[in-house]
Amino acid sequence: MEDDNGENSNFVVGLIENRAKEVGVAAFDLRSASLHLSQYIETSSSYQNTKTLLNFYDPMVVIVTPTKSAPDGMVGVSELVDRFFSSTTKVIIARGCFDDTKGAVLVKNLAAKEPSALGLDTYYKQYYLCLAAAAATIKWYILPLPLFEFFSEYLIEAEKGLIITNHSLSVTFNGSFDHMNIDATSVQNLEIIEPMHSSLWGTNNKKKSLFHMLKTTQTAGGKLCHGLPNSSSLIDLVLCRTRLLRANLLQPLKDIETINARLDCLDELMSNEQLFFGLFQALRKFPKETDKVLCHFCFKPKKVTTGVLAIDNSKKSQILISNIIVLKTALDAVPLLSKVLKDANCFLLKNVYKSICENEKFASIRERIGEVIDEDVLHARVPFVARTQQCFAVKAGIDGLLDIARRSFCDTSEAIHNLANKYRQDFKLPNLKIPFNNRQGFYFSIPQRDIQGKLPSKFIQVIKQGNNMHCSSLELASLNVRNKSAAKECYIRTEFCLGALMDAIREDVSVLTLLAEVLCLLDMMVNSFAHTISTKPVDKYTRPHFTSDGPLAMDSGRHPILEGVHNEFIPNNIFLSEASNMVIVTGPNMSGKSTFLQQVCLVVILAQIGCYVPARFATLRVVDRIFTRMGTVDSLESNSSTALFGFRDLELWISNPYDKSVWITSKLDGFQILRYTIFATHMQNLSELATMYPNVKTVHFDVDIKKNRMDFKSLPVSIERWAAACSTLWPYASRSGWITEFSDRIRQKHHIEYYPKGMFTRSYEVKRMEMNLGQYHDIQMAYRVAQRLICLKYSNQDEDSIRQALHNLKECYINGDL
């Protein structure tokens, strides 16, 4: 249930399907104490929607029914887990445990919100599968505190035996996909979480991806860029930004109001330096474990009367004490956060101020903690300092046995340091140190330069560690045992003193989970988004604009990852609308076609998570789903070729006819009928489509050789340049000194003509293109007029400028200059 870095999976997912191809999903996040419910119709025989969700959650456990059968020969959720998530633990429990009635009762009792706010009252009968999955998930892993009798048989069978505080979980109920859907293949192709090819970077550093770019905007040890202060405690800033950031990148938002609220917040952070640095300093005051610890108060360990060792009890007591100290430290930081946010203007920050800083419950909880916990106790990372703080967390005089255990702890700690002083004198080791770690307790560290010959026989367990020798002695080992025993006794007695305080905190646990969510969001906005933008040159990142039905347009867009690797990144433009909804990208290998495809998708994803984008200007429409097909993916194990995978993807795309999808494809052996498409190819026949269909635009990525280096360009394709898609090898061959006679023979055999621009093509194909231009001229002109009118419809220009633009459009149409 615990993880150190916040990146490991903490999800337990329950899956169930019915004969109507509906799938119910219940995903329980142990770290954030949240339950996510989804139900949808599976439209693909390969269960792509379910695969996408599992890829998003990356669960450590998946709970399914015993049967593997699926309707109409489909894969089935159980077999899907076996095939694609073999590293995930699969648990099979009886189908009777998937009870939607009991699931509805559980959700009603566990949810922090009312059932009406979740939509449970309205949609209970329609979305029964996800409630059934919730019942099975809770049966296997958790048990709500008020339902012992209702689930008495569950208590016996439950694997983990956790108890959930009533009305403490954050429950989200999604009938279908309420976020942008990005399938697992697209996540890999776009390098959202992990890059595909580490060798391309030519460096020993960790591979980059969009996730790593935003996550690593700060470095451990206090090395921040562009004016941010250095501090050895900057690691405290890492709350759960990585978890929230990953979730946002894999499932970007679709609600324009929420997106614009984040963008408004980012506007204020970038324009108000005092607010930006104030939030940066305020977030440093919260320990990095804050989000995890606050959510842990939702859980209560099950009381077991037999079979549990005291060592286990002391460990649980230590964790509880540590959580209380972290909570105290976090609540002490709330006033500073309140001071910083008091004058904020944007809706998001004002809402945070209202819900957190003006909430009197936080002051009430802090007051209750102050009645029991010593005011001088602080959260610490140094192991022995943390142990001491935990032993002395409760005020003196509250429990007599605790005071006795503390004296024993102090006596043994003092004896250990006296023993170290004695060894320094007796063995003439002035630089002998006495470090401490939680695994072995105290031990000796002696520099090798101080050792003459061999260490005295009194020292045991000698290990070389760098330039030092680590060792112990029988006396130190005995004192370690006594010191550890005294600390355990302190933990157990301290937990006894904290019982009433814990019950009082759990009464208001919903405000703690709210604080955890707010801190995660602020941390992502400040330390991921705002800091990333602040490290870029001025005006390199801009706020994207959203329209409901407008075009997708970018001026001087750049790849957000590669622009930081290559000093001279060539920006590119793109325009997609109802009148121009397909772009065919041509060019030689390594000219940047795949980079351009990735760039468009990554810019859309950045925009829909509420971040600025690397472009001079960008206007977008909200995208429902992103499909990608890039590279070759032959699989000998499954006897599947690239073409077969392509047809499977095509089946998925056509079976999910979203109106606002972006479909990206390259290197396929044929043309696919798509709706809103960017298509990169070497196939010359596809470029001819631009002369036949007015909604198709062709762009060519040209490469010139200058001083033995490639110079990249992005140009619209004319008839002369169109041939680059099919025969880009010959110009470079001639530059490389290939035999001219060989090139001439190839040209004569295939009726290829050479054009002044350095391109080759077949003569009859050029004539056919010229005929197409004449035949489809009128419809091309009409489409171009419609395209200009669409742009003016969503333009922010004033009335006079629009009138002038309409007049210019009329003149161009009359003169045939469109």
Side-chain angles (χ1 to χ4, degrees):
M1 182 173 170
E2 307 234 6
D3 63 272
D4 297 331
N5 55 17
E7 296 182 43
N8 296 331
S9 171
N10 289 275
F11 277 96
V12 177
V13 174
L15 292 174
I16 187 173
E17 58 183 326
N18 64 10
R19 295 180 181 275
K21 302 180 182 179
E22 283 187 290
V23 178
V25 181
F28 182 65
D29 187 356
L30 299 174
R31 180 184 175 93
S32 63
S34 57
L35 183 65
H36 308 277
L37 306 177
S38 300
Q39 184 167 329
Y40 49 89
I41 297 177
E42 189 58 80
T43 57
S44 169
S45 61
S46 57
Y47 276 58
Q48 282 294 334
N49 290 330
T50 306
K51 185 179 176 182
T52 298
L53 268 185
L54 289 178
N55 182 71
F56 168 71
Y57 291 127
D58 188 22
M60 59 181 184
V61 176
V62 176
I63 302 170
V64 295
T65 57
T67 177
K68 286 189 176 183
S69 61
D72 300 337
M74 298 174 72
V75 173
V77 293
S78 182
E79 187 176 349
L80 177 74
V81 175
D82 292 335
R83 284 190 187 181
F84 300 102
F85 301 91
S86 56
S87 60
T88 300
T89 301
K90 188 177 77 170
V91 176
I92 300 176
I93 62 177
R95 196 174 185 90
C97 298
F98 288 82
D99 189 322
D100 58 296
T101 303
K102 292 182 179 180
V105 174
L106 283 170
V107 171
K108 181 179 179 180
N109 283 274
L110 292 176
K113 296 181 180 179
E114 292 295 327
S116 58
L118 296 172
L120 187 62
D121 293 343
T122 306
Y123 301 109
Y124 161 65
K125 292 184 179 180
Q126 182 178 358
Y127 297 120
Y128 64 94
L129 283 178
C130 59
L131 295 175
T137 304
I138 294 170
K139 171 196 181 301
W140 184 81
Y141 209 94
I142 58 179
L143 186 69
L145 188 59
L147 302 179
F148 279 114
E149 295 182 1
F150 186 77
F151 279 88
S152 58
E153 73 276 15
Y154 282 17
L155 179 60
I156 299 173
E157 298 174 7
E159 289 284 333
K160 303 300 179 183
L162 289 175
I163 299 174
I164 301 298
T165 305
N166 200 25
H167 300 300
S168 62
L169 293 187
S170 172
V171 179
T172 57
F173 183 74
N174 303 320
S176 184
F177 292 98
D178 289 344
H179 300 80
M180 182 201 297
N181 190 295
I182 309 175
D183 63 275
T185 302
S186 297
V187 170
Q188 181 180 3
N189 288 340
L190 298 176
E191 300 179 302
I192 296 176
I193 303 300
E194 292 291 341
M196 290 188 293
H197 307 294
S198 60
S199 59
L200 296 180
W201 296 94
T203 175
N204 292 327
N205 294 334
K206 190 174 182 179
K207 299 181 295 184
K208 293 284 185 177
S209 64
L210 188 62
F211 175 65
H212 290 130
M213 183 197 76
L214 293 172
K215 187 187 72 170
T216 57
T217 53
Q218 63 187 34
T219 58
K223 297 179 182 178
L224 285 185
C225 306
H226 294 263
L228 292 181
N230 293 332
S231 170
S232 59
S233 63
L234 284 178
I235 194 170
D236 288 352
L237 286 170
V238 188
L239 302 169
C240 70
R241 182 179 72 256
T242 55
R243 176 175 59 85
L244 183 62
L245 179 61
R246 181 182 182 276
N248 275 264
L249 290 175
L250 291 177
Q251 286 191 338
L253 303 171
K254 289 199 306 187
D255 182 67
I256 294 182
E257 291 186 5
T258 306
I259 296 172
N260 283 327
R262 289 188 181 183
L263 292 172
D264 291 340
C265 175
L266 205 51
D267 287 344
E268 186 168 4
L269 288 173
M270 299 311 300
S271 61
N272 189 338
E273 184 175 328
Q274 183 178 359
L275 176 64
F276 174 51
F277 283 97
L279 276 175
F280 177 83
Q281 295 292 344
L283 290 175
R284 288 179 55 193
K285 300 297 183 181
F286 292 90
K288 76 168 186 176
E289 302 91 347
T290 300
D291 73 293
K292 180 172 64 176
V293 167
L294 292 180
C295 295
H296 277 186
F297 288 101
C298 298
F299 301 101
K300 183 176 182 180
K302 184 183 66 176
K303 293 183 179 180
V304 181
T305 57
T306 59
V308 179
L309 299 177
I311 184 173
D312 295 330
N313 289 334
S314 66
K315 182 63 177 178
K316 293 178 181 178
S317 301
Q318 184 182 10
I319 293 174
L320 184 146
I321 299 166
S322 177
N323 290 348
I324 290 288
I325 295 174
V326 170
L327 175 60
K328 173 182 176 295
T329 306
L331 294 178
D332 287 340
V334 170
L336 177 59
L337 182 65
S338 176
K339 181 180 179 181
V340 174
L341 294 177
K342 185 176 182 179
D343 298 324
N345 297 317
C346 68
F347 171 79
L348 191 150
L349 295 182
K350 289 172 68 174
N351 196 32
V352 169
Y353 180 81
K354 181 179 179 180
S355 59
I356 299 297
C357 304
E358 293 183 351
N359 195 326
E360 297 179 356
K361 289 186 178 181
F362 292 107
S364 175
I365 295 174
R366 179 62 182 86
E367 184 179 352
R368 291 296 302 270
I369 292 176
E371 295 173 358
V372 181
I373 302 299
D374 194 285
E375 290 296 329
D376 295 331
V377 172
L378 298 173
H379 173 67
R381 298 193 183 283
V382 180
F384 186 70
V385 176
R387 173 182 280 191
T388 304
Q389 294 286 331
Q390 292 159 5
C391 290
F392 287 85
V394 174
K395 291 181 177 180
I398 293 181
D399 184 88
L401 295 178
L402 174 60
D403 293 338
I404 294 174
R406 285 171 173 171
R407 283 196 293 270
S408 176
F409 175 79
C410 292
D411 291 343
T412 53
S413 299
E414 184 178 2
I416 289 172
H417 286 84
N418 291 336
L419 179 65
N421 290 330
K422 180 176 181 296
Y423 283 1
R424 290 188 188 102
Q425 297 176 1
D426 294 348
F427 302 108
K428 294 182 173 55
L429 297 171
N431 296 313
L432 182 146
K433 297 181 180 179
I434 185 74
F436 175 89
N437 63 44
N438 291 322
R439 183 177 59 85
Q440 63 185 114
F442 288 98
Y443 60 94
F444 297 123
S445 178
I446 307 171
Q448 279 189 295
R449 65 177 182 273
D450 292 351
I451 301 174
Q452 305 296 330
K454 294 184 178 180
L455 279 172
S457 58
K458 188 176 284 290
F459 294 101
I460 59 175
Q461 301 175 346
V462 180
I463 300 175
K464 182 180 179 181
Q465 189 75 24
N467 295 324
N468 298 316
M469 302 296 291
H470 293 177
C471 55
S472 183
S473 69
L474 293 177
E475 293 173 286
L476 180 61
S478 175
L479 289 172
N480 263 329
V481 172
R482 292 167 55 192
N483 184 265
K484 188 175 183 180
S485 176
K488 289 180 180 179
E489 183 63 26
C490 289
Y491 298 153
I492 295 173
R493 296 307 307 173
T494 299
E495 182 185 13
F496 177 79
C497 298
L498 296 178
L501 176 61
M502 290 297 297
D503 292 337
I505 292 175
R506 289 193 177 103
E507 291 179 1
D508 295 321
V509 70
S510 59
V511 299
L512 299 183
T513 57
L514 174 63
L515 177 61
E517 293 176 5
V518 166
L519 290 176
C520 294
L521 180 59
L522 289 178
D523 190 39
M524 183 179 71
M525 294 297 300
V526 174
N527 294 316
S528 284
F529 296 172
H531 177 64
T532 298
I533 299 167
S534 68
T535 59
K536 305 296 181 181
V538 179
D539 298 330
K540 286 293 185 181
Y541 273 62
T542 186
R543 173 175 177 157
H545 301 277
F546 283 91
T547 60
S548 57
D549 296 309
L552 187 156
M554 279 180 278
D555 179 29
S556 299
R558 304 179 309 282
H559 195 292
I561 304 171
L562 294 182
E563 70 165 343
V565 178
H566 302 290
N567 295 329
E568 298 180 2
F569 188 89
I570 306 300
N572 298 289
N573 305 331
I574 188 171
F575 184 91
L576 290 169
S577 69
E578 299 299 333
S580 179
N581 60 2
M582 183 172 184
V583 175
I584 297 176
V585 183
T586 65
N589 292 331
M590 299 299 294
S591 62
K593 299 187 298 300
S594 297
T595 298
F596 178 68
L597 302 186
Q598 283 187 335
Q599 170 189 312
V600 174
C601 291
L602 292 179
V603 167
V604 170
I605 291 171
L606 280 176
Q608 289 192 214
I609 66 174
C611 185
Y612 285 5
V613 298
R616 184 185 300 165
F617 170 82
T619 179
L620 309 167
R621 62 194 300 178
V622 172
V623 174
D624 292 307
R625 191 158 189 164
I626 289 180
F627 297 100
T628 67
R629 185 82 175 94
M630 302 169 67
T632 55
V633 286
D634 292 335
S635 175
L636 297 178
E637 292 84 357
S638 61
N639 194 27
S640 301
S641 66
T642 299
L644 179 58
F645 280 111
F647 283 117
R648 287 177 178 173
D649 287 343
L650 181 59
E651 175 198 5
L652 170 65
W653 300 356
I654 294 177
S655 62
N656 290 271
Y658 288 78
D659 290 334
K660 299 178 181 179
S661 300
V662 172
W663 296 1
I664 302 293
T665 181
S666 71
K667 299 182 182 177
L668 284 180
D669 296 331
F671 177 69
Q672 299 182 7
I673 302 174
L674 306 178
R675 175 175 296 177
Y676 204 83
T677 312
I678 305 173
F679 193 103
T681 182
H682 288 284
M683 299 179 64
Q684 68 273 25
N685 295 337
L686 295 183
S687 296
E688 187 180 351
L689 294 174
T691 66
M692 301 169 59
Y693 299 99
N695 63 310
V696 179
K697 180 181 179 182
T698 307
V699 174
H700 174 65
F701 282 81
D702 195 11
V703 180
D704 288 336
I705 304 298
K706 292 184 178 180
K707 297 181 181 179
N708 295 324
R709 295 184 62 184
M710 290 189 294
D711 182 32
F712 298 94
K713 299 177 181 179
S714 174
L715 301 170
V717 171
S718 60
I719 294 180
E720 290 80 6
R721 308 197 68 89
W722 163 75
C726 63
S727 304
T728 54
L729 176 61
W730 281 301
Y732 299 101
S734 61
R735 293 173 185 172
S736 302
W738 283 25
I739 302 174
T740 306
E741 180 181 357
F742 173 77
S743 298
D744 292 340
R745 290 171 58 187
I746 296 296
R747 288 165 49 198
Q748 293 172 6
K749 180 178 179 180
H750 295 281
H751 306 285
I752 294 174
E753 296 182 2
Y754 179 77
Y755 282 85
K757 295 292 186 179
M759 303 300 171
F760 293 80
T761 188
R762 295 177 175 86
S763 57
Y764 67 87
E765 292 175 345
V766 174
K767 293 179 181 178
R768 188 171 67 235
M769 291 180 66
E770 292 173 344
M771 291 176 59
N772 290 337
L773 287 175
Q775 181 179 355
Y776 300 105
H777 177 267
D778 292 341
I779 192 172
Q780 294 270 8
M781 293 288 288
Y783 252 76
R784 289 169 186 170
V785 170
Q787 188 178 53
R788 300 285 181 88
L789 292 175
I790 290 175
C791 293
L792 290 175
K793 176 182 177 181
Y794 296 100
S795 173
N796 295 326
Q797 301 180 71
D798 56 38
E799 185 175 342
D800 292 337
S801 299
I802 292 178
R803 289 181 182 275
Q804 182 62 41
L806 289 172
H807 176 74
N808 294 339
L809 177 60
K810 179 180 178 181
E811 293 294 328
C812 291
Y813 181 78
I814 294 174
N815 298 328
D817 294 335
L818 285 176

